[in-house]
Amino acid sequence: MKFTKLSLIATLAISSAFAGGDIAPATTTPNIVTPANPTTIAGKLTAYYITNDDNNQNLFDQESSQLGLATTLDVSHNVTDWMTLNFSAVGYLNTLKKPNLEYMEGKKHGAFLNVANATFKSEDTTFVAGRQLLATPMLGGFDWLLAPGAFEAYTVVNNSINNLTLVASYVRTWRANDTGDNFQNLTKINGGNNWTLGASYDDKTINGSLWYYNVDASKYTQVYADAGYNFGNAKVDAQFVNTNYDSGKDSTAYGLKVSTTLSNIDLYGAYNRVQDRETGFVGTDSLYTSSWNTFTSSAYDNKDLDAWKIDASTKIANVNAEISYADYDKGNETDVILGYDFTKSIDAGLVYTNTKANATGAKAVNALEIFVNYKF
C-alpha cells in the first residue's frame, strides 16, 4: 500500500479537500456576487499495474497481478465569491480477471463520487460540508491505486493568526482506500461521534502541532503532539501519541527524526517506540518509521515495538529517486521509489518493495507497482 508522507505539522489538506484546487481565504466581506468564469474542470487518466510474488506465485503471473484504469473528473463551481460547490467523480475498470490480488476498488468496473461538498469562506475561515479529503496526523485518507480515501465530514479551518492553523472536523462516514463506493457510516458504530481538534504552528524554523481525537468507531480518544527545530544544516523532530482505549490497555508511542541534506541527497533517520498496545489511527498514521506497506501503528504485536528507518532521496537525470529501509522487530521492509515527469501533463512512477517477517521459514515478499497519469 502507499503511505502518504505527512509533514510534522500535518493539518487538514485544505488544497486537496476540494475538487477545484487551492482555496485562498476571502479578503472581503461575503456577498452574493457571482464571479466571472465560475466553473473549473480538470481531471486525470490513470493506469496502475500491481503485482507480487506472495503465496508462491511468480512476480508477473496473472494470478498475482492486476491492471486498473481510471478516470478522475474534478469540477468546482463558484456560486458566489464565498460559496463553492466541489465534485470529484471516479470511474474505473480492471482489465484482468479476478486474481489473488482481487479487483482494485473491489469490482471489475464501477464509478463513485469521491468528493461532493460545499465550501464557505469568510475572511480567514473556511467551512467544508460533505465528502472531502482529510489529512491529519492520525486520521486521513491516502492516495494509492486509483483514488485516495475520503470522508464525509464537517470541517472548519482558521488561519487568522500568522503561521498558526486551527482545525476542527466532525466525521460521519469514511471511504477507506481501495473500497469503491463503500462510505462506511461511522456514526452507527458504537454510538458514534468521531471528531478531531488540532492546532499547528510553523515559522520555517520552529514547528509544532497538537491534536485531540475522539474515535467512537474504535472506542478510543487520543492525543497527538509533535515539535521540530530547523538548525539550517539539519532538522530535528519529535512526536508523542497517547491512545486511551475504552477497555484494556492504553498505548503510548514516541518518535524521533533527524534529517539533513548532503551533496543534494536528502537523508533522514527515524525511530519510534510503541508501548503496551497498537496505536489507534483511521486510514493512515504519520509515525516517522511507517513505510509503503507497513504502518508502524499497527506493527505492534503483543510486545513493545522498537522501529527504526533510514531514508535517502535525490534527483538523478530528472528522475526523483528514494530508497529506504525500516525494521519493525518482527519484520523489515525495503522500498525503492522512482518518479519521472515526461511533461507537465504526463508523469510515471515505479515502486519496488521487499517485505519480510522475522520468523523461521518466512520468505520475503517482492512487490512491484507501476503507474502512469495524464492530467488534463
Side-chain angles (χ1 to χ4, degrees):
M1 71 177 57
K2 179 174 181 180
F3 171 69
T4 299
K5 296 181 179 178
L6 304 176
S7 67
L8 283 176
I9 56 160
T11 61
L12 176 77
I14 197 70
S15 64
S16 62
F18 319 97
D22 294 342
I23 302 297
T27 57
T28 59
T29 302
N31 55 57
I32 59 173
V33 176
T34 301
N37 301 320
T39 303
T40 301
I41 300 176
K44 69 175 180 177
L45 304 178
T46 299
Y48 207 112
Y49 175 78
I50 183 171
T51 184
N52 69 47
D53 62 2
D54 198 9
N55 298 316
N56 296 317
Q57 301 288 334
N58 292 322
L59 191 61
F60 296 103
D61 282 353
Q62 185 167 333
E63 287 300 313
S64 61
S65 305
Q66 188 55 267
L67 173 63
L69 308 176
T71 301
T72 302
L73 183 64
D74 299 331
V75 179
S76 182
H77 178 71
N78 296 315
V79 180
T80 70
D81 63 354
W82 53 269
M83 178 182 178
T84 305
L85 302 179
N86 308 283
F87 304 92
S88 183
V90 179
Y92 63 91
L93 169 67
N94 289 283
T95 64
L96 305 180
K97 70 177 184 179
K98 189 175 182 178
N100 292 334
L101 286 179
E102 306 297 331
Y103 289 138
M104 296 184 195
E105 303 300 344
K107 295 180 180 179
K108 178 73 173 180
H109 55 80
F112 55 91
L113 278 174
N114 207 33
V115 171
N117 64 57
T119 302
F120 306 88
K121 298 182 295 182
S122 177
E123 300 296 336
D124 297 322
T125 301
T126 302
F127 174 66
V128 189
R131 293 186 180 184
Q132 57 194 273
L133 308 183
L134 297 178
T136 81
M138 305 303 290
L139 182 154
F142 57 105
D143 194 0
W144 176 60
L145 296 183
L146 302 182
F151 298 83
E152 180 185 338
Y154 305 93
T155 303
V156 179
V157 180
N158 179 269
N159 297 103
S160 297
I161 302 174
N162 192 36
N163 299 324
L164 180 68
T165 300
L166 303 176
V167 179
S169 188
Y170 179 86
V171 180
R172 288 195 67 255
T173 68
W174 172 35
R175 192 195 78 83
N177 192 259
D178 198 31
T179 60
D181 196 24
N182 181 23
F183 276 84
Q184 184 179 19
N185 192 336
L186 301 181
T187 66
K188 291 186 177 180
I189 302 175
N190 297 321
N193 290 304
N194 304 276
W195 49 271
T196 183
L197 300 173
S200 62
Y201 177 84
D202 188 0
D203 65 3
K204 308 302 181 184
T205 299
I206 298 174
N207 62 264
S209 73
L210 179 64
W211 292 82
Y212 179 82
Y213 296 91
N214 184 91
V215 183
D216 281 350
S218 296
K219 295 186 178 181
Y220 69 80
T221 60
Q222 185 177 78
V223 173
Y224 173 94
D226 61 39
Y229 190 86
N230 190 342
F231 293 92
N233 58 350
K235 190 172 185 293
V236 178
D237 299 288
Q239 63 186 178
F240 167 82
V241 192
N242 177 260
T243 309
N244 189 340
Y245 291 96
D246 287 0
S247 61
K249 292 183 178 181
D250 298 329
S251 170
T252 303
Y254 308 89
L256 181 67
K257 179 178 177 181
V258 179
S259 54
T260 189
T261 300
L262 296 175
S263 300
N264 296 319
I265 300 176
D266 295 327
L267 304 167
Y268 77 76
Y271 168 80
N272 280 116
R273 181 171 177 82
V274 180
Q275 296 177 324
D276 300 324
R277 192 171 176 178
E278 68 276 5
T279 301
F281 69 98
V282 179
T284 187
D285 75 8
S286 61
L287 296 187
Y288 300 147
T289 55
S290 288
S291 298
W292 191 271
N293 293 322
T294 307
F295 290 108
T296 303
S297 292
S298 56
Y300 177 91
D301 188 17
N302 298 315
K303 182 181 179 181
D304 288 356
L305 171 68
D306 292 293
W308 57 271
K309 180 179 180 180
I310 53 176
D311 184 284
S313 59
T314 189
K315 194 169 187 177
I316 305 172
N318 292 323
V319 176
N320 293 306
E322 179 179 4
I323 183 170
S324 65
Y325 175 84
D327 183 90
Y328 302 100
D329 282 348
K330 291 192 175 183
N332 58 75
E333 179 174 336
T334 301
D335 298 339
V336 178
I337 304 172
L338 306 176
Y340 182 77
D341 294 332
F342 292 94
T343 68
K344 291 183 178 180
S345 300
I346 302 174
D347 65 84
L350 181 150
V351 180
Y352 165 77
T353 60
N354 178 282
T355 308
K356 184 179 180 180
N358 290 341
T360 302
K363 294 183 178 179
V365 176
N366 297 288
L368 182 68
E369 302 176 37
I370 302 172
F371 52 90
V372 179
N373 296 307
Y374 171 71
K375 299 175 184 177
F376 57 89

